[in-house]
Amino acid sequence: MVRPLSLGELPPSYTPPARSSAPHILVGSLQAPLWLRAYFQGLLFALGCRIQRHCGKVLFLGLVAFGALALGLRVAVIETDLEQLWVEVDSRVSQELHYTKEKLGEEAAYTSQMLIQTARQEGGNVLTPEALGFHLQAALTASKVQVSLYGKSWDLNKICYKSGVPLIENGMIERMIEKLFPCVILTPLDCFWEGAKLQGGSAYLPGRPDIQWTNLDPQQLLEELGPFASLEGFRELLDKAQVGQAYVGRPCLDPDDPHCPPSAPNRHSRQAPNVAQELSGGCHGFSHKFMHWQEELLLGGTARDLQGQLLRAEALQSTFLLMSPRQLYEHFRGDYQTHDIGWSEEQASMVLQAWQRRFVQLAQEALPANASQEIHAFSSTTLDDILHAFSEVSATRVAGGYLLMLAYACVTMLRWDCAQSQGAVGLAGVLLVALAVASGLGLCALLGITFNAATTQVLPFLALGIGVDDIFLLAHAFTEAPPDTPLPERMGECLRRTGTSVALTSINNMVAFFMAVLVPIPALRAFSLQAAIVVGCNFAAVVLVFPAILSLDLRRRHRQRLDVLCCFSSPCSAQVIQMLPQELGDRAVPVGIAHLTATVQAFTHCEASSQHVVTILPPQAHLLSPTSDPLGSELYSPGGSTRDLLGQEEGTRPKATCRSLLCAHWTLAHFARYQFAPLLLQTQAKALVLLFFGALLGLSLYGATLVQDGLALTDVVPRGTKEHAFLSAQLRYFSLYEVALVTQGGFDYAHSQRALFDLHQRFSSLKAVLPPPATQAPRTWLHYYRSWLQGIQAAFDQDWASGRITRHSYRNGSEDGALAYKLLIQTGNAQEPLDFNQLTTRKLVDKEGLIPPELFYLGLTVWVSSDPLGLAASQANFYPPPPEWLHDKYDTTGENLHIPAAQPLEFAQFPFLLHGLQKTADFVEAIEGARAACTEAGQAGVHAYPSGSPFLFWEQYLGLRRCFLLAVCILLVCTFLVSALLLLSPWTAGLIVLVLAMMTVELFGIMGFLGIKLSAIPVVILVASIGIGVEFTVHVALGFLTSHGSRNLRAASALEQTFAPVTDGAVSTLLGLLMLAGSNFDFIIRYFFVVLTVLTLLGLLHGLLLLPVLLSILGPPPQVVQIYKESPQTLSSTAPQRGGLRWGMPPTLPQSFTRVTTSMTVALHPPPLPGAYVHPASDEAT
C-alpha cells in the first residue's frame, strides 16, 4: 500500500519538476519488421492479460484438459517385436517381409535354443574328451527339462521340431516311428554315440527291451521285422537317407561306459577317440544324407595345421530346435492329451516360453562353479524377456528424476526477499511439465502410436528437461518485469517479452522431431512423433497454463504472503513508496522502444518509529558520467527491487536504526554483466573463443571419420549378465546367419530352371556365403528334386532292362521304378493324360540336367509325397503346397496312375548360411552382393529376393547416412525459415543455423572419439540436436536484436538478459538426463545419456560463448536505435563519451538519507495493434 510522504521527510531543496515536452519519436529503417513483431507481441500481450484476469478458470480448465489426455496412457501398447520395431517402413525389405508372411504365415518354421561352451581360461582348447564330457552333461541336463502347465507335463520330445516324418502304410511301424523319430539337434555330440542320449523317444516291441536311439540299429531292426510286415518302401527310404546303423555305429566318447554298444568302433579297444579328427568337417544327425551339421555350426575359434587338418577349437555349440507356437497348437489340436484343457495357440506359446526359460536356467547351472569349462545358454524367449525388460518403465527412476527436478526448481527460484521468491512457482511448473508429458504420451496412445523402449526409457526425462527450460525463462522474465508495469498487465508484459522466444524454440523442437520421422525405422519414427507431440503439449502448458500459475503467485506477492507457505504473511515485507517520475524533456526515443531504462540516485529514509524503508526521488536531475559500470549504462539492468541494493551510509541520525533485509546480492545476471560479458567481449578473448571452436570443429571433422555404422545386440543387453556373455561368445565364435533366397511368383518355374540354377550359383559364390563340403551336393529343393528324379530314373532303367517292369506292368519292379513308370507315362494333357509310348522315348531329367517342363509340376507332387526327408532338408516351403498323393505299387484299379499336378509356385526358397559377418561393413557387402545377384536374375525373368535377419536389420545402413544428411539439411533450412520469420532477421537466422550446424558436426565427431556407432538411434538424436540447440541460441539472438548500442554492448545486454535462464535450462536438462545414467542397460547410458549430455554441454558453450562472439563481430544492425536529443541546460560537462545516461543530485544530503542506486523504467507504448488488448490508463501507484 502506498503512503504519502510528509514534508518533513523530503530533502530541504526538493521542488516538483516542471513537465517538459513530449518525447520525439523517430521512424527507423526497420519499421515493417518491428511492426510485425509488435503485432505478434500484441497478441501475446492480450493473451497474457486475459489469462491473468481469469487465472483460476484457466488453471482449472488446463488441468482438466491435460489430465483427461493423460488418461490415454491406459490404452498404451508397448511394442517389443523386433521386426515391427526395426524393419524400415515402406521399404523393399518390409514389402518382401509382407510377401513372405502372406504366403507362409506370421511365424518361422522353428525356434532355436543354443548352448555355447568355452574354456574358463582364455583360448583354452575344447577338442578333448573331457571338454566334450562337460558339453554332454550340460546338453543332457537341458534336454531332460520338463515343465508342468495346464495339468500336463511337457518335455523336449513333445515340443521339439522334427524334420520330415515319413508316412507309412503299416500302422504298427508308423506308431513306432512317430515315437522314435528324433528331434533336430545340431550338436558336436552327434559325431559320437553319446549324441543319441539327447534323443528322448522310445518304443516298445514284444520280446525286446525298450527301443531307444542309444540301442537302435535300424538295419538289424528291419531284418527282425521283415518276416512279419512288408517294409520294402520303408527300407528304401532309410537307404536313400543313408541312415545306416544310426548312432550305434559311431565311436563312444567314453568307451568304458557300460551302455556303449558293441558296434561302436572303439568299444573293444577302449581308446578315447581323436576328437579333432572326428569333428573335422562337421557331424551328421541320424541321416547322413539330409542331416549334415557343418563344422562352422559346431566349432568356433578353430586352428589348423599347414595341411588344413583341424588341431584345436575354443568353443562348442549345440542348437535345439523347437516347434513354433502355431505348429505346436496344430500338432496337439484334437489330441486326447489336450482335449480337456481348451487347447489354444496362446497356451502353446506359454508352454514353449516356460520350457525355454527352464532350459536356459538348468543349462547355465549344469556345470559346477569350479569346472574348467563354462556354459552360455540362450533362447528366443530370453531375447523377448530382454526386450520386455528394456521397454518397462522404471517408476523409481522416473520418480527420482522428477523429485530431483522439483528440488532444483524450488531451490533455484527461492529468494530471501519474499516479494521476489518463486519457489512455489518452480514446484508448480515442474509438476505442470510432468502433467504435460503424461498428456502428450496419452495423446500418442489415443492416436495409436505404439510405445517402445525409447519412449519408456528416455522420453520422460528428455521431455522434462526441455519443458522446464521455458518454465525458467518465463519465471525469470516475470520477476524482472519493468517496475512501472500496471498490476493487471504484468502477465501480458511477460508474454510479450518472452513469448517469441518460447514459440521459436518449441516450434523448432517440434519441426526437428518431425524431421526425424524421415528416418524410416518404426521404433525411431514412433519416438520422434511422440517427442514432437510431447513438445507441443509442453508448449501449450507453458504458454496457456503456466501464466495462470504466475498470475496466482503475483496475487500472493501483492498480498505479501510467504513463498511456498502462502498461508502466512511475510515478516520481511516493507512499505515501498512510489517514485515520482522525472520528465524526459525533449529527448527523442525512436519507434519500437517499448521501455527505456535509466539509472538514478535516490534518497532512502528509515523511520525510527516503524523502521519502514522510504525511497524518495531526488528534487533535481542532471546528467553525470557513468562511474563503475564496466559496460556502460546503456545496458538494460534487470536488477531486483530497491531493497536488494540498499546500503547504509555512516552518517545517520543517532536514534534512527535500519536493518538490512536478508537477500542474495549475487545472481547469474549480475555475474554475466559484471564479470562474464566484459571478459568475453575483449578482443583477446574473442580470438581465443574463435580459435577454440575452430580447433574443436577440426577435431570433430577428424572424429567423424572414425564413426562406424552398426548396432550389435551386445550393445543393448546389460553388461555383466549371462545373456551378454552368451551374445559376446556367439559374436566372437559363431557369427553365422541363416538366410534364404526366395523366389516369387510371376514367372514360369518349369521353363526357368536354368535361370534358377544360375541364380543359385551366383548367390553361392558370394564371399559371405558358407560353401557346402565338396562331397555334398547343394542343399536346395531344385537340386534334391532333380537328384531324386535321376535316382528313380536309374531304378526304372534297371527294372526295364531286367524285365521286372514292362509296358503293361510295374508291380514286379522296385518302388522307385514304379514311381518312374507312373511319371514317364504322364503327358500333362487333360484330354489324353497318359501315353505309354513315352516309357522308352523320354527321360525324367534330360542331358542338360533339366526337368521336362510338362513333367515339372507333376513330378513335384510325387517328390513332395515320396521324399519327406529330402523335402524337409531342402527347407523349400512351397506355396501353394503341392497336393498329397500316396503311391501304392499294388494298386490294380489304375486310379493310382493319375497324378494331380501341383499349382504354379508363388513362393519357394533356397537356404544359405552367411559367415564371417563381424562388422557392419561385412553385412553391407553381403547385402549388396545378394541384391546384385537378384537384380541380375531379374533380368533373366526370375523374381527373387534375399530373406533373413541380416537383410531385415542391416539393410537400413545402405542408405542411413544419406537419410541422415537429407534430414539434417531439410531441418537446417526449416530452422532458418522459422527463425527468419519470427526474428524478422535472415542475417541472425543464418548465424543461428551456422552455430547449429557446427554443433551437429561436433556432436557427430565426438561420437567417433567415444566409440559410439552410427545407427538409427544416434541419427534421431543428431537430427533432434538441431531443435534442442535452438534452446541455447535463439534467446541470445533475440536479446541481441532487441538491444541498442554497439555490437559489443548489444551482445553484453543479450548475455545479461539470457545468461540465467539459459544456464538454468541447461542444468535442468542435465538433471532430467541424469536419471538415464542409472539405467541397467549400458545401451541407454552410452547412446542416450552420454550423447544427450554432450549435446547439452555443446549447446551451452555455443549459446553463451560462440554465438555472442559471432554476434559482436558479425551481428546484424539493431532493430531499435536509441537516439537522445539532449538539452544544453541539462547536459553536464562530464557527459560520458559512450552515451551513458545518469541522473544526478546535489552532493550534499541530509543525515537521515542513504544513497542507493535503483532502476526505473519509462514505458513508451507503441500504437495499439489489431487484436491487441489495451489496458485503461491508470494513475494509481504500481
Side-chain angles (χ1 to χ4, degrees):
M1 183 175 180
V2 177
R3 181 180 64 84
L5 294 173
S6 62
L7 292 178
E9 296 173 331
L10 296 173
S13 58
Y14 176 78
T15 56
R19 299 186 63 86
S20 62
S21 61
H24 181 63
I25 300 178
L26 299 179
V27 179
S29 61
L30 299 175
Q31 183 176 10
L34 288 178
W35 189 91
L36 290 174
R37 178 174 297 130
Y39 180 82
F40 182 63
Q41 290 177 334
L43 297 177
L44 292 172
F45 178 83
L47 175 64
C49 291
R50 289 191 174 95
I51 291 176
Q52 184 173 342
R53 284 204 310 271
H54 307 288
C55 56
K57 299 175 184 177
V58 171
L59 180 60
F60 175 76
L61 293 176
L63 294 179
V64 170
F66 284 118
L69 289 176
L71 293 177
L73 288 172
R74 301 180 62 182
V75 298
V77 176
I78 298 180
E79 182 63 74
T80 59
D81 185 358
L82 277 177
E83 291 182 359
Q84 297 297 325
L85 291 173
W86 288 102
V87 177
E88 296 183 47
V89 178
D90 298 329
S91 65
R92 62 183 177 186
V93 175
S94 65
Q95 295 171 3
E96 292 162 358
L97 183 62
H98 175 74
Y99 184 85
T100 301
K101 291 184 175 181
E102 180 185 359
K103 303 304 179 185
L104 298 185
E106 294 289 331
E107 296 180 341
Y110 50 80
T111 60
S112 300
Q113 284 58 238
M114 289 162 283
L115 298 180
I116 293 179
Q117 176 182 323
T118 58
R120 291 191 184 274
Q121 183 179 0
E122 181 70 19
N125 183 25
V126 296
L127 297 186
T128 64
E130 293 77 17
L132 265 295
F134 281 119
H135 197 75
L136 173 63
Q137 181 179 345
L140 194 58
T141 302
S143 67
K144 301 303 180 185
V145 168
Q146 289 188 353
V147 294
S148 295
L149 277 180
Y150 313 113
K152 311 293 179 182
S153 179
W154 306 88
D155 58 15
L156 177 63
N157 197 50
K158 287 184 177 180
I159 65 175
C160 70
Y161 175 73
K162 298 181 179 182
S163 174
V165 181
L167 297 177
I168 305 297
E169 295 180 0
N170 188 298
M172 179 187 69
I173 301 299
E174 184 179 9
R175 287 190 296 272
M176 185 177 67
I177 290 177
E178 183 180 356
K179 293 180 179 180
L180 276 176
F181 204 83
C183 299
V184 178
I185 304 175
L186 289 69
T187 174
L189 297 170
D190 273 351
C191 281
F192 308 94
W193 166 76
E194 280 77 4
K197 293 184 177 182
L198 304 183
Q199 304 294 342
S202 64
Y204 172 75
L205 285 178
R208 291 180 56 92
D210 284 349
I211 302 175
Q212 298 178 348
W213 283 104
T214 54
N215 60 14
L216 174 61
D217 184 344
Q219 293 178 348
Q220 182 182 353
L221 180 63
L222 288 179
E223 291 177 2
E224 294 179 1
L225 295 179
F228 306 100
S230 176
L231 300 175
E232 182 181 352
F234 184 54
R235 187 191 305 274
E236 290 186 5
L237 180 65
L238 294 182
D239 290 340
K240 289 180 182 179
Q242 300 174 10
V243 174
Q245 289 184 299
Y247 289 97
V248 297
R250 303 175 189 183
C252 296
L253 272 174
D254 180 12
D256 295 326
D257 189 329
H259 298 97
C260 181
S263 54
N266 62 340
R267 176 68 174 86
H268 300 291
S269 65
R270 303 287 182 175
Q271 292 183 355
N274 186 331
V275 174
Q277 182 179 348
E278 294 293 339
L279 288 174
S280 181
C283 300
H284 297 86
F286 81 96
S287 168
H288 279 251
K289 181 178 180 179
F290 298 119
M291 294 184 176
H292 176 249
W293 321 137
Q294 289 182 251
E295 181 183 306
E296 291 80 1
L297 289 170
L298 310 177
L299 306 180
T302 57
R304 300 178 183 275
D305 60 15
L306 296 178
Q307 288 73 35
Q309 296 297 319
L310 180 65
L311 295 178
R312 63 195 313 275
E314 297 180 10
L316 301 171
Q317 177 175 255
S318 292
T319 305
F320 296 73
L321 302 186
L322 303 183
M323 285 188 280
S324 67
R326 181 70 181 178
Q327 287 177 325
L328 185 61
Y329 166 70
E330 294 290 346
H331 182 72
F332 283 100
R333 185 175 63 172
D335 191 271
Y336 73 95
Q337 301 180 65
T338 58
H339 74 281
D340 59 337
I341 60 174
W343 183 241
S344 65
E345 190 171 344
E346 182 180 357
Q347 289 176 323
S349 178
M350 295 298 294
V351 168
L352 290 171
Q353 291 176 12
W355 193 93
Q356 288 172 320
R357 293 188 180 100
R358 187 64 175 163
F359 168 90
V360 171
Q361 177 187 356
L362 292 183
Q364 291 172 342
E365 299 172 353
L367 301 187
N370 59 352
S372 62
Q373 306 287 314
E374 58 182 346
I375 293 292
H376 311 288
F378 198 81
S379 71
S380 56
T381 298
T382 306
L383 181 59
D384 293 337
D385 291 342
I386 290 173
L387 292 175
H388 279 96
F390 191 49
S391 303
E392 288 180 355
V393 180
S394 175
T396 302
R397 286 195 297 115
V398 171
Y402 279 74
L403 287 175
L404 186 61
M405 189 66 74
L406 284 169
Y408 174 77
C410 182
V411 170
T412 55
M413 299 178 74
L414 278 173
R415 299 288 184 273
W416 287 109
D417 186 352
C418 301
Q420 298 292 322
S421 183
Q422 291 182 300
V425 169
L427 294 174
V430 173
L431 293 176
L432 177 62
V433 170
L435 179 61
V437 172
S439 65
L441 293 176
L443 178 59
C444 294
L446 293 174
L447 293 175
I449 304 175
T450 58
F451 288 24
N452 55 68
T455 307
T456 58
Q457 296 281 336
V458 178
L459 191 54
F461 307 105
L462 179 61
L464 173 65
I466 294 176
V468 172
D469 293 354
D470 293 331
I471 294 293
F472 282 119
L473 182 65
L474 257 69
H476 180 82
F478 193 71
T479 58
E480 306 300 346
D484 69 326
T485 305
L487 191 65
E489 298 179 1
R490 289 291 293 274
M491 196 62 248
E493 186 64 31
C494 177
L495 281 184
R496 175 157 58 187
R497 294 172 59 193
T498 60
T500 302
S501 294
V502 173
L504 185 55
T505 56
S506 299
I507 291 174
N508 271 286
N509 273 325
M510 285 189 287
V511 171
F513 283 116
F514 277 127
M515 284 299 103
V517 174
L518 291 175
V519 178
I521 307 301
L524 282 310
R525 179 169 288 186
F527 172 78
S528 301
L529 286 174
Q530 290 160 345
I533 292 173
V534 168
V535 169
C537 289
N538 276 343
F539 175 60
V542 169
V543 173
L544 298 177
V545 182
F546 188 64
I549 296 175
L550 288 173
S551 301
L552 290 175
D553 186 67
L554 180 63
R555 296 185 182 182
R556 187 270 307 169
R557 292 161 57 190
H558 184 64
R559 295 173 183 174
Q560 300 176 354
R561 299 282 186 175
L562 281 176
D563 191 15
V564 183
L565 305 175
C566 55
C567 296
F568 301 95
S569 298
S570 170
C572 56
S573 59
Q575 186 174 7
V576 180
I577 307 303
Q578 180 182 11
M579 297 187 293
L580 301 177
Q582 298 293 324
E583 298 292 340
L584 289 176
D586 54 358
R587 297 172 180 79
V589 182
V591 170
I593 293 183
H595 298 89
L596 172 65
T597 302
T599 303
V600 304
Q601 290 180 325
F603 304 113
T604 301
H605 173 232
C606 185
E607 293 181 305
S609 57
S610 61
Q611 296 187 0
H612 285 166
V613 180
V614 180
T615 303
I616 306 171
L617 204 64
Q620 292 181 357
H622 58 274
L623 295 173
L624 297 176
S625 300
T627 55
S628 61
D629 191 343
L631 293 171
S633 56
E634 289 178 87
L635 292 180
Y636 171 68
S637 176
S641 67
T642 301
R643 294 169 297 188
D644 289 340
L645 301 171
L646 184 62
Q648 281 276 63
E649 287 197 354
E650 293 182 1
T652 58
R653 194 173 299 175
K655 293 185 180 181
T657 60
C658 183
R659 293 174 293 185
S660 297
L661 299 176
L662 295 175
C663 55
H665 296 276
W666 188 92
T667 61
L668 288 174
H670 183 278
F671 169 74
R673 177 188 178 102
Y674 290 100
Q675 282 86 33
F676 183 73
L679 177 63
L680 177 66
L681 298 177
Q682 293 179 6
T683 304
Q684 299 87 340
K686 292 180 184 178
L688 288 176
V689 168
L690 294 177
L691 182 62
F692 169 76
F693 281 97
L696 180 60
L697 181 61
L699 284 174
S700 300
L701 290 173
Y702 171 71
T705 64
L706 304 178
V707 177
Q708 298 179 354
D709 294 347
L711 177 63
L713 195 55
T714 50
D715 296 329
V716 179
V717 178
R719 296 182 183 271
T721 61
K722 295 179 179 179
E723 292 80 8
H724 187 274
F726 172 87
L727 293 171
S728 299
Q730 185 187 48
L731 182 63
R732 178 179 178 182
Y733 297 117
F734 300 101
S735 185
L736 291 168
Y737 297 88
E738 292 183 356
V739 299
L741 183 59
V742 175
T743 52
Q744 303 172 261
F747 71 97
D748 188 354
Y749 280 72
H751 289 85
S752 302
Q753 296 175 61
R754 177 57 59 195
L756 288 171
F757 283 121
D758 291 342
L759 172 60
H760 177 268
Q761 181 60 35
R762 280 193 297 270
F763 206 92
S764 300
S765 63
L766 296 178
K767 174 184 174 182
V769 173
L770 181 65
T775 58
Q776 183 180 351
R779 190 166 56 96
T780 70
W781 66 269
L782 193 55
H783 289 85
Y784 282 147
Y785 178 26
R786 183 178 66 177
S787 176
W788 178 83
L789 288 175
Q790 290 172 335
I792 64 173
Q793 177 72 60
F796 172 82
D797 292 341
Q798 291 179 0
D799 291 341
W800 183 270
S802 63
R804 290 192 296 271
I805 293 182
T806 64
R807 176 185 176 89
H808 303 290
S809 175
Y810 56 81
R811 281 180 289 182
N812 294 327
S814 63
E815 292 283 343
D816 284 352
L819 284 172
Y821 179 96
K822 294 180 180 180
L823 280 174
L824 287 170
I825 63 175
Q826 305 295 320
T827 64
N829 187 343
Q831 301 298 328
E832 298 180 0
L834 304 178
D835 184 358
F836 293 92
N837 294 324
Q838 297 179 152
L839 286 171
T840 56
T841 60
R842 71 187 308 182
K843 297 290 183 181
L844 297 178
V845 178
D846 63 21
K847 295 180 180 180
E848 297 181 357
L850 301 180
I851 304 168
E854 62 274 13
L855 285 180
F856 185 85
Y857 285 109
L858 292 166
L860 192 63
T861 298
V862 178
W863 175 62
V864 167
S865 301
S866 305
D867 190 16
L869 289 176
L871 176 64
S874 71
Q875 302 179 34
N877 288 328
F878 292 129
Y879 183 86
E884 289 187 0
W885 178 80
L886 291 179
H887 163 63
D888 184 2
K889 189 175 69 170
Y890 301 101
D891 179 30
T892 59
T893 63
E895 291 295 328
N896 202 238
L897 293 178
H898 298 280
I899 302 174
Q903 298 182 43
L905 292 177
E906 298 178 17
F907 185 97
Q909 61 184 21
F910 299 150
F912 291 93
L913 279 175
L914 301 184
H915 72 125
L917 303 182
Q918 296 287 339
K919 300 178 181 179
T920 302
D922 300 329
F923 286 93
V924 171
E925 181 182 358
I927 292 170
E928 290 176 341
R931 291 294 182 185
C934 293
T935 301
E936 190 174 349
Q939 297 173 357
V942 174
H943 307 305
Y945 62 85
S947 176
S949 58
F951 305 97
L952 289 179
F953 305 125
W954 273 271
E955 184 150 331
Q956 58 177 288
Y957 295 103
L958 295 179
L960 184 63
R961 297 203 175 211
R962 177 183 53 81
C963 180
F964 164 55
L965 290 176
L966 177 64
V968 167
C969 293
I970 292 176
L971 182 54
L972 287 175
V973 172
C974 292
T975 301
F976 174 80
L977 295 176
V978 173
S979 301
L981 179 64
L982 292 183
L983 293 179
L984 304 170
S985 173
W987 190 339
T988 307
L991 288 177
I992 291 176
V993 168
L994 172 64
V995 172
L996 296 177
M998 290 181 61
M999 284 177 55
T1000 304
V1001 172
E1002 290 161 6
L1003 180 59
F1004 189 69
I1006 292 174
M1007 284 172 49
F1009 288 115
L1010 294 176
I1012 296 175
K1013 298 177 182 179
L1014 184 68
S1015 62
I1017 292 174
V1019 164
V1020 168
I1021 296 178
L1022 286 166
V1023 173
S1025 68
I1026 298 175
I1028 297 174
V1030 173
E1031 297 272 355
F1032 301 100
T1033 55
V1034 72
H1035 305 310
V1036 177
L1038 186 59
F1040 181 84
L1041 280 176
T1042 55
S1043 299
H1044 53 78
S1046 65
R1047 283 192 176 105
N1048 274 352
L1049 289 171
R1050 292 160 60 207
S1053 175
L1055 280 173
E1056 185 182 9
Q1057 297 177 51
T1058 60
F1059 190 89
V1062 169
T1063 303
D1064 284 337
V1067 174
S1068 67
T1069 302
L1070 290 175
L1071 288 177
L1073 299 175
L1074 184 61
M1075 289 298 103
L1076 297 179
S1079 174
N1080 296 327
F1081 293 89
D1082 183 67
F1083 169 77
I1084 293 292
I1085 297 174
R1086 285 172 53 81
Y1087 284 80
F1088 285 100
F1089 171 71
V1090 172
V1091 175
L1092 289 172
T1093 298
V1094 171
L1095 169 61
T1096 304
L1097 295 177
L1098 285 176
L1100 193 62
L1101 291 175
H1102 285 75
L1104 297 182
L1105 285 179
L1106 179 61
L1107 184 59
V1109 170
L1110 290 178
L1111 290 172
S1112 69
I1113 299 172
L1114 304 172
Q1119 292 183 346
V1120 294
V1121 181
Q1122 187 169 10
I1123 305 174
Y1124 294 100
K1125 184 178 178 182
E1126 295 167 344
S1127 170
Q1129 291 81 2
T1130 58
L1131 188 61
S1132 171
S1133 60
T1134 59
Q1137 297 298 321
R1138 291 183 292 173
L1141 273 177
R1142 287 271 181 183
W1143 288 29
M1145 50 163 271
T1148 59
L1149 293 173
Q1151 290 184 344
S1152 61
F1153 288 91
T1154 299
R1155 181 172 298 177
V1156 68
T1157 301
T1158 189
S1159 296
M1160 181 185 72
T1161 302
V1162 180
L1164 301 176
H1165 297 285
L1169 299 168
Y1173 169 75
V1174 181
H1175 192 276
S1178 174
D1179 295 332
E1180 295 181 9
T1182 59

